[in-house]
Amino acid sequence: MAHPDLPTTESAVTAIREIAQEFHLEMTVTDDIGADRTSRRTSAGAFAVLDPDGSLPHEAYVELGGSPVLTVQLFPEDDAKIIVDGVEFADVPRDAVPAFLRSVLGGLAHVKGRFFPPGWWLVVPLPGDTTYKELIPNSTLTPWLNGKVR
């Protein structure tokens, strides 16, 4: 379920920190602040720190310890990229990140395989009727992914 109380990158990092504590996971955060430091700033001029509207964009890269290997890149544009054991979920709304992580860490995420077209998919259901599904690259299942096959 979306969390409308995550208006900033910092509030999303705080929510992820609470989840890491809940699941007893180590967490590291790298912050990039300023248009000259964030990865997607095309609207700001070369060497500009502020966006044209005067705001200071904030991007964060979060790594969670444990299994599965989880990384979250939070972008100033209110979205995130989450990588679960090598499977990339791009353009996840920032508000959905806590529910996404809870689904993965809480055991709701699972792997489905298909013969045609062939491949394995990581499926991450969220509360409500939102589900994220991504093809597992090279059909290579890590031990964690293999344990989630249904």
Side-chain angles (χ1 to χ4, degrees):
M1 197 69 176
H3 288 254
D5 57 340
L6 297 180
T8 66
T9 297
E10 190 56 40
S11 59
V13 169
T14 300
I16 295 170
R17 185 170 280 115
E18 290 169 3
I19 292 167
Q21 289 172 347
E22 178 183 333
F23 287 93
H24 308 289
L25 301 173
E26 290 186 23
M27 175 177 154
T28 58
V29 180
T30 304
D31 292 292
D32 289 317
I33 300 174
D36 60 335
R37 300 281 309 271
T38 57
S39 63
R40 288 190 183 166
R41 284 292 157 206
T42 55
S43 60
F47 307 108
V49 174
L50 300 176
D51 277 346
D53 66 358
S55 66
L56 192 63
H58 178 193
E59 181 174 300
Y61 181 78
V62 180
E63 294 179 84
L64 295 174
S67 181
V69 175
L70 276 168
T71 61
V72 180
Q73 189 169 8
L74 298 159
F75 298 106
E77 294 86 1
D78 299 333
D79 68 327
K81 175 173 67 173
I82 302 174
I83 300 177
V84 182
D85 255 13
V87 182
E88 182 177 311
F89 292 83
D91 303 319
V92 176
R94 179 169 52 210
D95 293 347
V97 169
F100 188 103
L101 294 177
R102 286 186 194 286
S103 179
V104 170
L105 296 169
L108 295 175
H110 58 278
V111 173
K112 283 190 170 183
R114 291 185 23 188
F115 288 110
F116 192 79
W120 293 98
W121 296 81
L122 178 55
V123 180
V124 182
L126 271 52
D129 57 0
T130 303
T131 300
Y132 292 90
K133 182 169 81 168
E134 287 294 332
L135 184 64
I136 296 170
N138 304 321
S139 292
T140 305
L141 297 183
T142 63
W144 183 86
L145 290 169
N146 197 46
K148 298 297 175 189
V149 172
R150 285 192 183 169

